[in-house]
Amino acid sequence: MRVVLAEDLFLLRQGIIQLLEAYDCEVVAAVDNGADLGRAIAEHRPDVAVVDVRLPPTFTTEGLQAALLARRERPGLPILVLSQHVEQMYARELLADGTGGIGYLLKDSVLDDRQFIDAVRRVAAGGMAMDPTVVAQLMTSHSRDEPLAALTARERTVLELMAEGCSNTAIAQRLTVTEGAAAKHISNIFSKLMLPPSSDNNRRVLAVLAYLNA
């Protein structure tokens, strides 16, 4: 798996490089600013870009803005945002197109290497990996219009867990139900959100995007 990394802090950047390489990922470029991120993605066409939100020169939203631009130029580019901050407006815009893998992790919430690597791989494969805190903030003060209003409380909970990237097995364990029951809830969600049959991975992403962008 080929990775482009954007992180301005030298020690953290080097640490992430070593972690990725320890799990057989090839870091084809590691940059510390948004302009270089765009150029690296265009040159190397990575399997996934791991991007900090706040990069030089203003340390506001350069990373997310560069990721958005790169995704417009290369639709479906898998992007994993790794930050200490939740930038709601740009995060929603990144989620809005509904194509390609997407993830948003808070640095303080990454507690072990396998959690991080699993998120990178999931996003690279076209899936979703969202920190629960990010999900909660993106949902704040947003109404739930039809057909989302048709979801039951349990189905909403299942959809939140899907947003976190939980598999059917993980959802069943978290809710203390059988995998069959979890699969039934997910099938009901797809039906209520009027998502046509396609790959389960794609429908999961579309369902979560519909939820977060409502």
Side-chain angles (χ1 to χ4, degrees), residues 126-187:
M128 179 169 285
M130 300 292 290
D131 189 291
T133 301
V134 176
V135 173
Q137 290 197 34
L138 290 177
M139 286 164 45
T140 300
S141 73
H142 283 77
S143 63
R144 293 291 177 260
D145 298 325
E146 293 289 352
L148 294 177
L151 299 181
T152 66
R154 175 50 63 94
E155 288 164 354
R156 288 176 182 273
T157 300
V158 170
L159 195 47
E160 289 177 22
L161 293 174
M162 289 167 63
E164 295 175 26
C166 292
S167 64
N168 288 18
T169 301
I171 290 172
Q173 291 173 345
R174 292 274 289 273
L175 299 181
T176 319
V177 298
T178 65
E179 285 192 48
K184 184 176 180 180
H185 286 309
I186 292 170
S187 178

Side-chain angles (χ1 to χ4, degrees), residues 12-30:
L12 181 55
R13 185 170 65 249
Q14 292 304 113
I16 294 174
I17 291 171
Q18 291 183 25
L19 176 57
L20 288 166
E21 291 179 341
Y23 283 85
D24 299 322
C25 300
E26 179 187 2
V27 181
V28 294

Side-chain angles (χ1 to χ4, degrees), residues 77-135:
L77 169 69
I79 294 174
L80 174 61
V81 178
L82 182 64
S83 181
Q84 291 179 305
H85 314 278
V86 181
E87 298 291 344
Q88 293 194 31
M89 182 178 70
Y90 287 106
R92 284 185 173 280
E93 186 176 348
L94 191 60
L95 288 163
D97 65 10
T99 62
I102 191 71
Y104 201 128
L105 299 182
L106 296 180
K107 292 176 180 178
D108 291 344
S109 298
V110 178
L111 302 179
D112 60 62
D113 53 355
R114 292 190 178 276
Q115 176 192 2
F116 175 65
I117 295 298
D118 177 67
V120 173
R121 288 173 174 165
R122 193 184 314 144
V123 171
M128 179 169 285
M130 300 292 290
D131 189 291
T133 301
V134 176
V135 173

Side-chain angles (χ1 to χ4, degrees), residues 42-80:
E43 177 182 354
H44 296 285
R45 299 184 67 83
D47 298 310
V48 61
V50 179
V51 181
D52 191 6
V53 169
R54 300 187 177 184
L55 296 173
T58 66
F59 294 96
T60 53
T61 58
E62 284 87 352
L64 266 178
Q65 291 186 60
L68 282 166
L69 179 59
R71 193 153 175 155
R72 293 190 197 107
E73 296 175 348
R74 184 185 162 192
L77 169 69
I79 294 174
L80 174 61

